[in-house]
Amino acid sequence: MKHLCLTYLIFFFLIASQSAPARTINLTLTWDRNPERNITRYSVYYRQTPSVYFRRLETVTGTTATVAVPDNSVVYFKVTAINSAGLESPFSKRVRWP
């Protein structure tokens, strides 16, 4: 009987720990427009510590993006410009939040 109760307790704990939603906050990022005339969109990249790799988060046509990021974590952002031929610029300087 003790083994059965322990199994139910472990099962309940696993369900309870997985059902807790991850807390996120929305950040609005803005940047200066690229001076080249043929820029059609921008890609926003981010990484969360301790990762060293940036991944594409969103692609937008303007110079503003609202993104959801995990609360209580350090994140870094970079932006690239994409021209009408589909060529992507090098990364912008890295920005840290918070």
Side-chain angles (χ1 to χ4, degrees):
M1 183 68 170
K2 286 183 181 180
H3 184 267
L4 185 59
C5 289
L6 182 59
T7 301
Y8 282 127
L9 183 60
I10 291 172
F11 181 72
F12 176 75
F13 176 75
L14 289 174
I15 290 175
S17 66
Q18 291 178 358
S19 64
R23 292 183 52 177
T24 60
I25 58 170
N26 290 327
L27 296 178
T28 300
L29 308 172
T30 60
W31 54 91
D32 294 331
R33 181 172 298 281
N34 186 299
E36 296 177 23
R37 292 182 167 217
N38 65 343
I39 300 302
T40 58
R41 59 194 187 278
Y42 298 88
S43 286
V44 178
Y45 292 83
Y46 93 107
R47 80 172 173 93
Q48 185 177 345
T49 55
S51 175
V52 295
Y53 299 105
F54 280 82
R55 68 179 200 137
R56 183 176 293 158
L57 186 61
E58 187 173 350
T59 300
V60 297
T61 56
T63 57
T64 302
T66 300
V67 297
V69 297
D71 194 12
N72 296 326
S73 65
V74 175
V75 289
Y76 297 90
F77 296 98
K78 291 183 179 183
V79 176
T80 61
I82 303 169
N83 68 16
S84 56
L87 298 175
E88 192 167 12
S89 72
F91 284 119
S92 66
K93 291 183 179 179
R94 181 183 70 186
V95 175
R96 179 180 186 249
W97 185 88

